[in-house]
Amino acid sequence: MRHNKKFNHLGRKTAHRSSLLANMTISLIFHKRINTTLAKAKALRVYAEPIINRAKEDTMANRRLVFSYLQNKEAVKILFQEIAEKIGKRPGGYTRILKTGNRLGDNAQTCFIELVDYNEAMLKDAEAGKSKTRRSRRKKAAPAAEAAAETPAEAPETPAAE
């Protein structure tokens, strides 16, 4: 019976799956964005987000724990210095999955998985949309209607026909 065995095994044995996810996490830390299949990306998100969350608090215990998963000193250094600085205030959701369609060879669903705070194009769009800080029930057309009502009152300065 399969009681409480909900995560995707990805068609691999445990050791192969854990090393695959560790290598993908290292690549995600180095490159900030990787292209993979949707199933691997969803499994990677479950694996990587708790590791990234550990980087918020820079202690020796957290560094050793993250190193036990990743086995890469450079990745741990980048995670605790650069990435932790950007995600410090974020309460969760450090990765984003963007679907890109199906692969030609085997028709597998492909996607990008990226660190949220490193996509410059989306950050610019979010800042542009954030300019309005408070919502108002007042209609914006009302001041324009008042201005339009004032201009016809001043218009009758044309010479009268005799």
Side-chain angles (χ1 to χ4, degrees), residues 10 13-14 20 29 31 42 46 51 64 66 77 85 91-92 130 134 138 140 143-144 154:
L10 300 173
K13 302 281 185 180
T14 305
L20 169 86
I29 290 169
H31 302 292
K42 287 180 178 180
V46 172
I51 291 173
R64 286 180 173 172
V66 169
K77 187 188 296 183
E85 183 179 314
K130 250 186 181 180
R134 114 186 204 323
R138 244 186 302 169
K140 292 182 179 178
E154 298 172 3

Side-chain angles (χ1 to χ4, degrees), residues 14-152:
T14 305
H16 187 189
R17 186 175 56 250
S18 64
S19 62
L20 169 86
L21 293 173
N23 287 332
M24 288 178 70
T25 305
I26 292 166
S27 296
L28 183 65
I29 290 169
F30 281 141
H31 302 292
K32 313 302 188 257
R33 184 180 199 189
I34 57 175
N35 190 13
T36 184
T37 62
L38 186 62
K40 286 181 188 174
K42 287 180 178 180
L44 177 63
R45 179 172 47 191
V46 172
Y47 184 86
E49 291 216 3
I51 291 173
I52 295 170
N53 196 27
R54 287 276 180 186
K56 283 183 171 182
E57 187 181 352
D58 190 6
T59 61
M60 185 60 68
N62 282 346
R63 280 182 178 264
R64 286 180 173 172
L65 194 75
V66 169
F67 183 77
S68 72
Y69 285 106
L70 298 182
Q71 296 293 313
N72 189 316
K73 288 182 183 179
E74 293 299 317
V76 172
K77 187 188 296 183
I78 291 171
L79 179 65
F80 277 87
Q81 289 175 353
E82 291 178 27
I83 297 174
E85 183 179 314
K86 281 205 172 192
I87 63 156
K89 295 176 186 164
R90 184 174 289 276
Y94 309 114
T95 57
R96 176 186 297 126
I97 295 176
L98 300 168
K99 295 178 184 177
T100 57
N102 293 346
R103 197 162 48 197
L104 288 177
D106 58 354
N107 206 30
Q109 289 182 321
T110 58
C111 65
F112 283 113
I113 182 166
E114 65 183 3
L115 295 175
V116 172
D117 295 322
Y118 283 91
N119 190 341
E120 302 300 328
M122 284 194 167
L123 288 176
K124 288 178 187 174
D125 292 341
E127 289 172 4
K130 250 186 181 180
S131 62
K132 185 177 176 184
T133 57
R134 114 186 204 323
R135 291 170 42 179
S136 176
R137 290 184 181 208
R138 244 186 302 169
K139 297 189 182 220
K140 292 182 179 178
E146 292 173 10
E150 292 174 10
T151 51

